[in-house]
Amino acid sequence: MRWWDIAPVLELERELFPDDAWSEGMFWSELAHARGPHATRRYVVAETGGRLVGYAGLAAAGGLGDVQTIAVARDQWGTGLGARLLTDLLQHATAFECDEVLLEVRVDNTRAQRLYERFGFEPIGFRRGYYQPGNIDALVMRLRVQDAPGASGASDVPGAPDVPDAPDVQGTESHG
């Protein structure tokens, strides 16, 4: 993800998460930590036909990774794009030398929970009222990176098939 991706990312963010969408400033702040030799973030976008159809982000510090966000346009659900985005983040968690990766997911988002479980994430707790203003609880999930399929950078991650017409996933270094 680069600065010129922020406007279409915000459009998709507001469409998918109308009640608790990230602000433009939040994305700028994350991207400020995604480049250079001391980068602690990985943000990627997926495009098809010149249209942004997904994005994802990971923060890393002290051996711990945190999936900050994953979003896929509704017309791309079921294509494997979410799995491809998550695969990219987990490969970079390994590069960031993370021992564990955490994430929060809405308790009512069973589609996302199933995706995370396919990758080996396990529930470890709840954050009550985490998603505001709806006061929706978050399920906290953890993956021990050494136990993750494909964590070594291999492409054999379950749920991440090689889809010939899948959108391109582009990371911060893909644009130069």
Side-chain angles (χ1 to χ4, degrees), residues 66-79:
D66 190 74
V67 174
Q68 300 289 295
T69 186
I70 293 184
V72 174
R74 284 185 178 92
D75 67 340
Q76 298 293 311
W77 288 3
T79 66

Side-chain angles (χ1 to χ4, degrees), residues 5 8 27 38 55 65 71 74 82 85 92 107 118 134 138 153 161 175:
D5 295 314
F27 282 105
H38 302 292
Y55 58 90
R74 284 185 178 92
L85 291 166
H92 281 82
V107 293
R118 282 198 333 251
H175 294 289

Side-chain angles (χ1 to χ4, degrees), residues 23-80:
S23 69
E24 181 177 359
M26 291 170 77
F27 282 105
W28 277 105
S29 177
E30 289 298 295
L31 288 183
H33 299 281
R35 298 192 43 92
H38 302 292
T40 59
R41 305 291 195 274
R42 167 72 175 173
Y43 276 79
V44 294
V45 298
E47 298 174 338
T48 186
R51 178 178 149 243
L52 189 138
V53 293
Y55 58 90
L58 173 82
L64 182 64
D66 190 74
V67 174
Q68 300 289 295
T69 186
I70 293 184
V72 174
R74 284 185 178 92
D75 67 340
Q76 298 293 311
W77 288 3
T79 66

Side-chain angles (χ1 to χ4, degrees), residues 5 25 39 87 109 114 129 143 152-153:
D5 295 314
T87 297
N109 190 346
R114 284 192 308 265
L143 173 71
S152 64

